């Protein structure tokens, strides 16, 4: 039987666990797969492939590598009331909704009660790793801004909710043993408040009141932490007033949240209010984190992958405090840790902890992968699909310098499931490889937890551009980028228009173009629409109409950077600053969406 236990207060034992697991990574992985097959060989899904044969070679030969569309029917059957035994030997206790989507709706991943223990195990391993690099973390608190999101109940009675909402509501989190290295300024009641504004307001009050005890600040994603800074920017006067009077604003109506915050606030604190007002009324908010929380040693947020776009903004507000990305995880599985947490964001690598799941890796053709990265950075327009080698390799058999797509077999009912993450092997710690997260396959735009791919973007624009045709205009070219220069960030589309006649384009009806913006948003998936409408973590979509000939100039630039004229295709997402300047310098008009896109929680349709 596999065990997942770690005492976060025992630094020596925690580090020994990491060493033991990584020194025998291959052996641990074999035991993990044997255990998964032993538990689940009689499930409908596995039995159809392996017919009771528990051999590892049979598993690899007979069980196919799959994506979500392949397993979706099985998961939906469970959501609609059929037994867990379809895919899992253990009862499925809930479904975890992913930021990725299928058919415009969140993907749902199976989870079990035991899976919470694996998550707790990995969280506990973070503590001894951080203590190696930062002293005295048990002498203060962490101001971590954590939130829950809306959940639904499926036809079977199972709850479907985001993975972090699941964990924060679990007994593993709420009944956690005291750990001096991981004390939060936010009471659980403020974290578990379902009204995000009330939750944010109260968590910030608690963080400000306890400012002299704060040794580290953070959130899960960089985007969420910056939203908190923007909220502070918009509400510091009210927060200061509450602290001055010792009374929470009347609009905070969640009783548990309010009472927990009042216990922290206790009484009027006019001197603290004066200090907050003095700091926050400054013309520049550069270094505001250090000014408000002077003992802060680092900012704990994920800044890898699409979150890397926020690094410069975080540096501005934090005064260039270390940015620490501690963990690599997803709704499918918690994967691993960063063993060098103070490394620069560009150097962050994660080690996959070998007892968390069975890991395989599909080799990615390096040349074509570099070409794809080159397209993102230098706008090489070759959009050929990445060519994958057919046979996945085991964890210990990957090679330094090579790219791979991650495939997982979990204890909870996913078998040889392609996560969609492209990873680069940067080295080894004992037998266990270390990986740099390169990107999510086929994602072109992302601001928060949204992940918009090229197909979704094309579909949305195809529908929206019909609105300009009655004006005698055609959309001849388009591209996009994620603008994170303001908080919250927003999608920007560059459109080049052509009139049907010979007359040049001299003006556009604002109302029509604003409707185009709204139509694009309405056609994007439910995660985008939730972030935009409910979470307010994405700003209104913008369309910038550029001069005729702009995309010819973009092509000339891309060709000058090494793209082939014969193979050139317009890149649908721009990340190169030089390419962006070509587009920005030729903008004629700019229009924003004036409406919130519709969003309702996903309801599974029973078949």
């Amino acid at each position: 039987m596999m065990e997942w236990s770690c005492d976060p207060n025992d630094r020596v034992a925690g580090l020994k666990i990491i060493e033991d697991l990584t020194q025998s990574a291959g052996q641990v992985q074999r035991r993990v797969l044997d255990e998964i097959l032993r538990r689940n060989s009689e499930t409908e899904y596995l039995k159809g492939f392996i017919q009771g044969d528990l051999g590892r070679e049979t598993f690899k030969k007979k069980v196919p590598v799959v994506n979500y569309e392949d397993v979706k029917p099985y998961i939906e059957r469970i959501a609609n009331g059929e037994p867990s035994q379809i895919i899992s030997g253990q009862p499925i206790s809930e479904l975890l909704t992913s930021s990725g989507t299928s058919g415009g709706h969140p993907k749902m991943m199976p989870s079990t009660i035991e899976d919470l223990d694996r998550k707790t195990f990995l969280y506990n391993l973070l503590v001894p790793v951080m203590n190696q690099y930062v002293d005295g973390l048990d002498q203060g608190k962490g101001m971590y801004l954590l939130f829950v999101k809306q959940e639904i109940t499926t036809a079977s009675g199972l709850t479907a909710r985001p993975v972090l909402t699941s964990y924060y509501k679990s007994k593993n989190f709420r009944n956690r043993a005291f750990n001096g290295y991981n004390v939060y300024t936010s009471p659980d009641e403020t974290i578990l408040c379902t009204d995000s504004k009330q939750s944010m307001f109260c968590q910030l009050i608690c963080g400000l009141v306890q400012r002299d005890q704060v040794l580290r600040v953070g959130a899960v994603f960089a985007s969420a932490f910056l939203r908190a800074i923007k909220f502070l920017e918009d509400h510091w006067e009210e927060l200061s007033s509450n602290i001055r009077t010792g009374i929470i604003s009347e609009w905070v109506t969640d009783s548990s949240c309010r009472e927990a915050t009042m216990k922290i606030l206790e009484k009027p604190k006019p001197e603290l209010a004066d200090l907050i007002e003095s700091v926050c009324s400054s013309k520049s908010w550069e270094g505001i984190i250090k000014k408000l929380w002077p003992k802060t040693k680092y900012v704990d947020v994920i800044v890898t992958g699409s979150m890397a776009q926020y690094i410069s903004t975080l540096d501005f507000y934090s005064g260039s405090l270390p940015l620490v990305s501690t963990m690599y995880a997803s709704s499918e599985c918690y994967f691993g840790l960063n063993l060098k947490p103070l490394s620069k964001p560009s150097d962050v690598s994660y080690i996959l902890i070998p007892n968390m799941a069975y890991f395989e890796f599909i080799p990615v053709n390096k040349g074509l992968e570099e070409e794809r990265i080159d397209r993102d950075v230098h706008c090489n327009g070759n959009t050929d699909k990445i060519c994958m080698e057919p046979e996945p390799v085991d964890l210990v058999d990957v090679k330094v310098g090579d790219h791979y797509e991650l495939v997982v077999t979990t204890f909870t009912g996913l078998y040889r499931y392609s996560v969609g993450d492209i990873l680069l092997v940067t080295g080894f710690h004992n037998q266990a490889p270390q990986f740099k997260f390169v990107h999510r396959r086929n994602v072109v735009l992302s601001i928060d937890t949204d992940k918009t791919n090229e197909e979704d973007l094309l579909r949305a624009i195809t529908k929206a551009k019909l609105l300009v045709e009655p004006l005698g205009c055609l959309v001849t070219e388009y591209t996009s980028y994620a603008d994170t220069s303001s908080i919250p960030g927003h999608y920007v589309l560059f459109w080049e228009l052509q009139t049907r006649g010979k007359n040049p384009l001299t003006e556009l009806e604002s109302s029509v173009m604003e409707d185009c913006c709204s139509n694009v948003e309405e056609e994007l998936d439910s995660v985008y629409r939730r972030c935009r409408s409910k979470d307010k973590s994405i700003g209104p979509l913008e369309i910038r109409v550029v001069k005729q000939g702009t995309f010819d100039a973009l092509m000339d630039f891309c060709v000058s950077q090494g793209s082939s004229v014969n193979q050139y295709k317009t890149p649908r997402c721009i990340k190169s600053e030089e390419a962006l300047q070509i587009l920005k310098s030729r903008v004629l008009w700019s229009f924003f969406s004036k409406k919130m896109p519709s969003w309702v929680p996903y309801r599974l349709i029973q078949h």
Side-chain angles (χ1 to χ4, degrees), residues 429-602:
H429 181 80
N430 298 322
Q431 276 194 6
Q434 293 175 297
F435 296 92
K436 179 179 181 179
F437 180 91
V438 179
H439 61 75
R440 196 71 181 265
R441 177 165 41 82
N442 200 29
V443 171
V444 295
L445 288 172
S446 179
I447 295 290
D448 188 37
T449 56
D450 55 303
K451 293 179 175 67
T452 297
N453 61 41
E454 192 169 317
E455 291 77 14
D456 289 342
L457 186 61
L458 173 61
R459 185 182 63 249
I461 290 175
T462 298
K463 185 167 182 179
K465 70 182 184 181
L466 297 176
L467 296 178
V468 301
E469 291 187 2
L471 303 179
C473 295
L474 299 173
V475 178
T476 57
E477 272 292 9
Y478 72 90
T479 190
S480 65
Y481 88 106
D483 185 347
T484 57
S485 61
S486 59
I487 304 171
H490 69 288
Y491 288 11
V492 176
L493 306 181
F494 292 97
W495 281 14
E496 185 171 321
L497 300 180
Q498 178 180 326
T499 59
R500 290 183 180 275
K502 294 182 179 180
N503 295 328
L505 187 65
T506 56
E507 62 179 346
L508 286 169
E509 291 183 27
S510 295
S511 60
V512 173
M513 293 306 298
E514 288 163 3
D515 284 346
C516 285
C517 296
S518 299
N519 273 32
V520 172
E521 291 195 303
E522 199 65 49
E523 289 299 310
L524 295 176
D525 67 38
S526 67
V527 175
Y528 174 90
R529 288 182 279 114
R530 186 204 70 214
C531 288
R532 178 85 167 86
S533 299
K534 187 175 190 300
D535 301 343
K536 307 294 192 295
S537 59
I538 299 178
L541 182 140
E542 178 184 4
I543 292 178
R544 300 180 189 177
V545 178
V546 296
K547 298 177 182 177
Q548 287 193 19
T550 296
F551 280 82
D552 290 336
L554 179 64
M555 182 183 71
D556 291 342
F557 170 75
C558 292
V559 170
S560 75
Q561 299 297 299
S563 295
S564 165
V565 175
N566 293 326
Q567 294 180 312
Y568 176 80
K569 297 176 184 175
T570 301
R572 296 311 177 196
C573 179
I574 301 292
K575 294 182 181 178
S576 159
E577 189 57 40
E578 291 175 279
L580 276 177
Q581 286 307 315
I582 291 171
L583 295 165
K584 290 178 179 179
S585 67
R586 291 165 168 79
V587 172
L588 295 172
W589 302 285
S590 178
F591 306 93
F592 288 87
S593 173
K594 298 293 186 183
K595 304 173 185 175
M596 284 289 187
S598 60
W599 178 81
V600 293
Y602 175 46

Side-chain angles (χ1 to χ4, degrees), residues 67-84:
N67 59 30
Y68 186 73
E69 295 306 315
D70 298 313
V71 300
K72 180 180 178 180
Y74 298 91
I75 294 172
E76 289 193 343
R77 285 169 59 191
I78 293 171
N80 282 323
E82 293 191 48
S84 301

